[in-house]
Amino acid sequence: MAGTVKVDEAAHAASRKFLGIIDGGLQQSISQLTAAGNVLSDQSHWDGRHAAEFRQAWHGAQADLNKIRQSLEEFQRKFDTVLKNITQAGGNG
């Protein structure tokens, strides 16, 4: 598909911020949540009725966090490729 390609410094700055959030803060936060959840779900650290309720809920939440992490990694790879293509086609960044 031929056409005009436009990408300005604002787009480049936003894309760097976007990737920085995914790669840095968001991925790190997911890892920290997972680590804390794993400690809380370990009966040697926390047990009782509320702990059992947490462990039951954590099982599903942990699976969801893993899916989110995998989706973010896949999205990041695709976004990197798109950004490189845009830059090569006519952007300065």
Side-chain angles (χ1 to χ4, degrees):
M1 181 162 102
T4 302
V5 175
K6 177 183 177 182
V7 60
D8 63 12
E9 185 52 39
H12 281 283
S15 65
R16 287 188 296 269
K17 184 174 184 174
F18 194 88
L19 288 173
I21 291 168
I22 290 173
D23 190 37
L26 194 52
Q27 291 282 21
Q28 184 178 4
S29 293
I30 291 171
S31 294
Q32 290 171 346
L33 278 170
T34 299
N38 288 339
V39 169
L40 290 170
S41 66
D42 184 337
Q43 286 179 305
S44 67
H45 295 294
W46 184 31
D47 204 6
R49 182 174 61 92
H50 294 296
E53 291 171 7
F54 175 84
R55 280 192 296 277
Q56 184 177 1
W58 176 243
H59 180 71
Q62 187 177 30
D64 290 342
L65 285 172
N66 286 334
K67 287 178 191 175
I68 291 167
R69 183 187 353 249
Q70 290 170 355
S71 293
L72 285 171
E73 289 170 356
E74 181 180 338
F75 180 76
Q76 184 177 10
R77 284 190 297 275
K78 289 178 182 179
F79 189 78
D80 283 338
T81 301
V82 168
L83 184 60
K84 286 176 189 174
N85 289 339
I86 288 171
T87 301
Q88 289 173 356
N92 297 320

